[in-house]
């Protein structure tokens, strides 16, 4: 069914980590370290980066926040909607995106994804939109553009404010137009493993000068973090970088990860979230309904972080293009072998593939088979909020969103990988799905 069986891996094939940090060049890292030695500030460097982001993302205005969830909360507050208004949104997200909606005094109403896509389904949006709906929050997962023409048309007909969560899709376009610019505002996460990362960080973009002024006022009122916090973040990312680079990963990291996957998978899960210290209490409280977001999320975005993000931003377009090249090679082999469960890409979008998703009946069996071939593939660490007990009041049937969380595996993808790595991944997937070779 899957075409001719391919050969096993070449003997010197390196091990492939599930994700890698995007770090700017050494000069930028040095600048970041020097900046972090001085008392933390939110100054000219952050202002300049806001202007650069606005330009790069084809928007009039930009404001930098400590987190994407905080950017969303401040956007919702600035919209000043009647309390209890509904925010139509897909449920595959971090729990605090749902909490930001609740903290703003609004109600989430969950809309399904389209099957084997990362995107909101227009027909589910129509079905779920009630007269109380005021906002549609469109999340573009994995660097894949949502069907914006249909979604914006529905929003316009119903007078909904359009917001876009582009945390996984910076620099992605739909019909040539930059995601994040289709509605009132777009927002982004600059957290670990994102192509533009600076320990933590959030960005809002908008063409609305009044909204931008309000967002910048809110961002500038946040207290700067301590020098110790900045150092801890540098140390954390240095460790994660060392652990997730293919060379050290091939020598040591892979074996550690494989052992942890067997003995303590929860620790691997936390590492994927950027938590290098395992905290059982934090894990237990991960999907929790909140009346406010933790105060620690409101520490101002600093000049030291801006120094890192600037370098990542310089490399963003080249990185996006490189991932597309690599994914095209992988995808074509999987298509040729008639592998089931392939992602359905909207032909009007220009995807940047932050990750490459593959749906399968038994994700753990696929992950184990790939691990045996030296490939560390991950599940998503996002939740499906529409079925979480913490948000039971807003529960909704969203089968495609459930399938994204329960049946999807991300294959490794990073600009650091090469064509040979992609061939190795394709071969491992095809071999696993073909099953054991029949003798005779
Ligand atoms: C789709 C999406 N939205 C929001 C967030 C939240 O980002 P932050 O940690 O910056 O609040 C993330 C983080 O991974 C994300 O993937």
């Amino acid at each position: 069914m899957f075409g001719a069986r391919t050969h096993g891996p070449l003997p010197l094939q390196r091990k492939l980590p599930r994700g890698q940090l995007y770090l700017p060049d050494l000069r930028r890292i040095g600048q970041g370290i020097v900046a972090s030695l001085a008392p933390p500030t939110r100054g000219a460097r952050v202002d300049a980066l806001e202007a650069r982001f606005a330009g790069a993302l084809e928007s009039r205005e930009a404001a930098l926040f400590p987190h994407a969830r905080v950017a969303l909360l401040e956007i919702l507050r600035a919209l000043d909607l009647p309390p209890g208004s509904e925010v139509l949104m897909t449920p595959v997200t971090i729990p605090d995106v749902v909490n930001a909606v609740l903290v703003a005094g609004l109600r989430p109403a969950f809309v399904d994804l389209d099957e084997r896509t990362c995107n909101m389904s227009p027909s589910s949006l129509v079905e779920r939109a009630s007269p109380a709906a005021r906002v549609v929050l469109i999340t573009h997962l994995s660097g894949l553009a949502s069907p914006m023409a249909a979604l914006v048309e529905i929003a316009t007909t119903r007078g909904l404010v359009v917001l876009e969560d582009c945390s996984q899709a910076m620099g992605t376009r739909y019909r040539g137009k930059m995601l994040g610019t289709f509605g009132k505002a777009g927002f982004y996460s600059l957290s670990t493993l994102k192509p533009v990362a600076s320990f933590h960080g959030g960005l809002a973009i908008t063409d609305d000068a009044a909204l931008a002024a309000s967002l910048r006022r809110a961002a500038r009122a946040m207290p700067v973090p301590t020098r110790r916090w900045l150092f801890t973040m540098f140390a954390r990312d240095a460790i994660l970088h060392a652990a997730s680079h293919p060379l050290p990963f091939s020598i040591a990291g892979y074996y550690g990860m494989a052992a942890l996957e067997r003995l303590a998978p929860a620790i691997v899960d936390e590492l994927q979230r950027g938590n290098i210290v395992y905290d059982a209490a934090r894990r237990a409280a991960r999907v929790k309904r909140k009346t406010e977001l933790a105060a620690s999320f409101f520490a101002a975005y600093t000049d030291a972080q801006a120094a890192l993000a600037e370098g990542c931003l310089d490399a963003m377009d080249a990185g996006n293009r490189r991932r597309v090249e690599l994914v095209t090679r992988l995808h074509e082999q999987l298509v040729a072998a008639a592998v089931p469960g392939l992602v359905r890409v909207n032909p009007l979008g220009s995807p940047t593939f932050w990750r490459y998703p593959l749906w399968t009946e038994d994700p753990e069996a696929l992950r184990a088979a790939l691990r045996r071939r030296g490939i560390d593939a991950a599940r998503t660490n996002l939740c499906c909020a529409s079925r979480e007990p913490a948000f039971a009041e807003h529960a909704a049937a969203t089968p495609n969103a459930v399938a994204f969380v329960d049946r999807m595996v991300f294959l490794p993808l990073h600009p650091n990988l090469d064509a040979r790595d992609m061939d190795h991944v394709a071969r491992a997937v095809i071999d696993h799905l073909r099953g054991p070779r029949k003798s005779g």
Side-chain angles (χ1 to χ4, degrees):
M1 177 186 178
F2 301 125
R5 188 181 179 86
T6 47
H7 299 290
L10 295 169
L12 286 179
Q13 172 61 52
R14 58 184 176 172
K15 312 276 188 241
L16 303 179
R18 64 186 61 194
Q20 294 175 53
L21 260 63
Y22 287 74
L23 283 180
D25 56 66
L26 285 176
R27 187 175 60 88
R28 302 283 191 169
I29 297 172
Q31 284 175 349
I33 292 172
V34 170
S36 79
L37 290 171
T41 49
R42 186 197 202 284
R45 197 148 202 168
V46 176
D47 295 347
L49 183 60
E50 287 178 339
R52 272 205 63 200
F53 266 126
L57 300 173
E58 300 176 7
S59 173
R60 288 214 184 97
E61 311 269 0
L64 278 159
F65 286 92
H67 284 269
R69 65 196 87 182
V70 174
L72 170 62
L73 175 60
E74 297 300 345
I75 292 167
L76 292 173
R77 281 182 170 152
L79 291 178
D80 198 20
L81 298 163
S85 299
E86 281 184 2
V87 177
L88 294 151
M89 60 191 288
T90 44
V92 181
T93 187
I94 60 157
D96 267 0
V97 162
V98 183
N99 281 318
V101 170
L102 293 166
V103 171
L106 309 172
R107 291 174 61 81
F110 293 117
V111 177
D112 204 1
L113 307 179
D114 269 326
E115 191 184 1
R116 272 193 290 118
T117 72
C118 300
N119 308 126
M120 181 179 275
S121 153
S123 59
S124 178
L125 175 62
V126 170
E127 199 183 294
R128 297 283 153 84
S130 82
R134 292 284 180 281
V135 175
V136 56
L137 167 53
I138 301 168
T139 301
H140 310 283
L141 292 176
S142 314
L144 286 140
S146 304
M148 294 310 285
L151 295 174
V152 169
E153 191 187 323
I154 297 164
T156 309
T157 313
R158 288 164 196 262
L160 302 172
V161 174
V162 173
L163 302 179
E164 291 173 84
D165 182 346
C166 309
S167 293
Q168 299 189 0
M170 189 179 280
T172 310
R173 293 169 188 275
Y174 175 87
R175 280 186 174 155
K177 183 169 164 63
M178 192 65 85
L179 295 185
T181 63
F182 280 81
K184 190 75 167 170
F187 62 94
Y188 302 77
S189 174
L190 310 180
S191 63
T192 314
L193 299 178
K194 301 291 190 304
V196 178
S198 49
F199 316 140
H200 293 294
L203 170 74
I205 61 167
T206 180
D207 283 345
D208 180 327
L211 174 60
S214 156
L215 294 177
R216 273 203 286 270
R217 251 194 322 276
R220 276 156 184 62
M222 292 176 191
V224 287
T226 60
R227 203 185 307 199
R228 187 166 165 211
W229 179 85
L230 274 179
F231 254 134
T232 312
M233 290 295 118
F234 264 121
R236 181 199 69 174
D237 275 16
I239 293 170
L240 285 172
H241 179 59
S244 69
H245 190 277
L247 182 62
F249 186 77
S250 296
I251 296 165
Y254 163 78
Y255 301 96
M257 286 291 260
L260 279 176
E261 282 279 6
R262 228 170 300 122
L263 303 172
I267 294 183
V268 180
D269 206 42
E270 289 304 305
L271 280 173
Q272 185 174 318
R273 297 201 161 86
N275 300 325
I276 55 173
V277 178
Y278 183 76
D279 179 342
R282 178 175 56 198
R283 186 167 169 78
R286 198 175 83 74
V287 187
K288 195 175 156 202
R289 188 183 172 109
K290 296 180 184 167
T291 49
E292 52 189 52
L293 300 186
S296 57
F297 289 129
F298 291 85
Y301 191 79
T302 60
D303 291 321
Q305 290 167 275
L308 285 177
E310 278 166 21
C312 289
L313 185 54
D314 288 343
M316 178 182 78
D317 284 336
N320 284 351
R321 277 196 302 274
R322 174 74 179 145
R323 283 198 312 280
V324 172
E325 266 170 39
L326 293 171
V327 123
T328 303
R329 187 174 179 107
L330 170 66
H331 189 72
E332 280 172 0
Q333 293 179 60
L334 300 183
V335 169
V339 165
L342 298 184
V343 62
R344 291 162 55 216
V345 179
N346 188 319
L348 298 175
S350 315
T352 53
F353 281 102
W354 178 63
R355 290 277 189 278
Y356 182 83
L358 178 68
W359 282 257
T360 176
E361 282 308 312
D362 190 345
E364 286 312 309
L366 174 60
R367 290 184 64 231
L370 295 180
R371 209 157 42 239
R372 287 193 291 277
R373 306 276 286 257
I375 301 162
D376 174 41
R379 308 279 288 270
T380 178
N381 56 16
L382 301 178
C383 74
C384 178
S386 52
R387 60 143 179 213
E388 288 289 346
F391 304 121
E393 193 190 320
H394 312 283
T398 54
N400 295 325
V402 168
F404 188 92
V405 173
D406 288 352
R407 300 223 316 275
M408 189 276 296
V409 172
F410 282 130
L411 302 180
L413 188 59
H414 188 279
N416 257 348
L417 301 185
D418 60 25
R420 189 170 162 230
D421 296 326
M422 291 296 105
D423 295 351
H424 176 52
V425 173
R427 217 161 30 223
V429 169
I430 293 166
D431 285 352
H432 168 67
L433 293 176
R434 281 191 73 201
R437 202 201 305 240
K438 305 259 181 329
S439 55

